[in-house]
Amino acid sequence: MASGNVVLEIDDALLTIFLRLGLAKAQAQLPFQIKQVTATIHDGHHIEIAAGQARIVLRPALDTAGRIDLRIVSAKLGAFALPTFLYGLLNAIVNERVNALLSGLVMQGLRPRLLDVRTRGRALAITAELAEVEA
């Protein structure tokens, strides 16, 4: 079975689109209305999401199952910290969108094994080993 490595980079604009779609889909579960979503990727190993008055800071990592986990470091609505119970919901929305991108590779006959995720420049860089799916 053949395999090789690939680095996928998601820039601010594409990450913003993913988040906008995910948050719009989950709007009914959130206690506040989201009008605009903007993601800004910083080379200092974090991502900032602005959604109206909400500001969320994420750090990329791989979870124990080898999936991307954009962990919430802080979340505020205006000057107030969001309740911690919302962290799980927001985390699920963000991570579902980013991991959905990788699930499309399986439909192409490839099995990704994530090796690393980090911010690099103004992009979220995902390093993965891709192997052919055995028939």
Side-chain angles (χ1 to χ4, degrees), residues 85-113:
F85 78 88
L86 283 177
Y87 281 37
L89 174 62
L90 292 170
N91 238 27
I93 293 167
V94 169
N95 289 317
E96 184 272 331
R97 281 288 139 183
V98 174
N99 283 299
L101 170 71
L102 298 171
S103 67
L105 295 170
V106 176
M107 294 175 12
Q108 300 299 318
L110 298 168
R111 183 181 61 243
R113 183 172 68 86

Side-chain angles (χ1 to χ4, degrees), residues 76-87:
K76 292 184 176 186
L77 183 58
F80 302 100
L82 289 175
T84 54
F85 78 88
L86 283 177
Y87 281 37

Side-chain angles (χ1 to χ4, degrees), residues 61-77:
L62 294 179
D63 67 14
T64 56
R67 293 180 309 250
I68 294 172
D69 182 13
L70 299 176
R71 295 183 187 146
I72 296 176
V73 175
S74 68
K76 292 184 176 186
L77 183 58

Side-chain angles (χ1 to χ4, degrees), residues 2 6-7 31 41 63 78 90 92 122 124 126 132:
V6 64
V7 176
I41 300 169
D63 67 14
L90 292 170
R122 294 299 298 259
L124 179 65
I126 304 161
E132 292 178 292

